[in-house]
Amino acid sequence: MDAVRPSGHLQVVQRAGGQRWHALWRDADGRHQKVLGPAWVATAASARRGAASPGALHRGPSQRSTYGDYRYTLDNHLLPAFGEHEIRAITRKQIETWHARYPRSRTAEKVLMILGAIFHHAQRRDLIDVNPVERVERHPMRYSGDST
């Protein structure tokens, strides 16, 4: 049996209490989903203004840890680069230039994946026509468990 390479994405789900970020992924143990917290996605800058504290998540330490990881990525990678731009004004070329500054690492791919999820959400809500991240070339990655 082949090993399952973990993969996943983020999405915003509308609930009676408002929009929530959901992380969905698949690994060797099957399919998983976690609610990460409230979602404010009108513009990238609004994410900073509407951030919930990690203490607002009460389901368990892994959820708080995941939320903290996404919050860190947003605050330290995405908002400094794109937070002042309207989402529809961000181009593939800007994303490629920004992404090229990262060394080839899991962090570079994680940050690009999260940015792609944000654009995917905007596209599904008809805020943009095209997700520019879909056309950005990914850095090839090898993981420790990959065969040579």
Side-chain angles (χ1 to χ4, degrees), residues 85-99:
H85 301 281
E86 287 290 325
I87 196 161
R88 66 179 51 93
I90 300 170
T91 66
R92 177 185 53 83
K93 182 142 180 74
Q94 287 173 308
I95 295 167
E96 286 176 338
T97 300
W98 162 79
H99 190 242

Side-chain angles (χ1 to χ4, degrees), residues 51-117:
S53 68
L57 302 173
H58 299 291
R59 298 228 171 118
S62 64
Q63 188 170 12
R64 285 191 298 274
S65 174
T66 301
Y67 175 82
D69 188 42
Y70 284 118
R71 182 83 253 161
Y72 177 87
T73 300
L74 189 63
D75 288 341
N76 293 286
H77 297 278
L78 298 176
L79 289 174
F82 304 109
E84 298 301 318
H85 301 281
E86 287 290 325
I87 196 161
R88 66 179 51 93
I90 300 170
T91 66
R92 177 185 53 83
K93 182 142 180 74
Q94 287 173 308
I95 295 167
E96 286 176 338
T97 300
W98 162 79
H99 190 242
R101 290 187 288 231
Y102 282 88
R104 293 177 182 240
S105 66
R106 291 173 61 167
T107 299
E109 293 310 298
K110 177 181 74 173
V111 171
L112 191 61
M113 181 270 306
I114 293 170
L115 183 61

Side-chain angles (χ1 to χ4, degrees), residues 91-93 95-96 112 130-138:
T91 66
R92 177 185 53 83
K93 182 142 180 74
I95 295 167
E96 286 176 338
L112 191 61
V130 175
N131 180 343
V133 176
E134 290 177 354
R135 298 183 341 221
V136 172
E137 185 175 339
R138 303 304 204 253

Side-chain angles (χ1 to χ4, degrees), residues 32-53:
H32 310 278
Q33 176 176 327
K34 291 249 184 200
V35 177
L36 302 179
W40 292 273
V41 294
T43 67
S46 66
R48 182 185 301 277
R49 289 191 301 271
S53 68

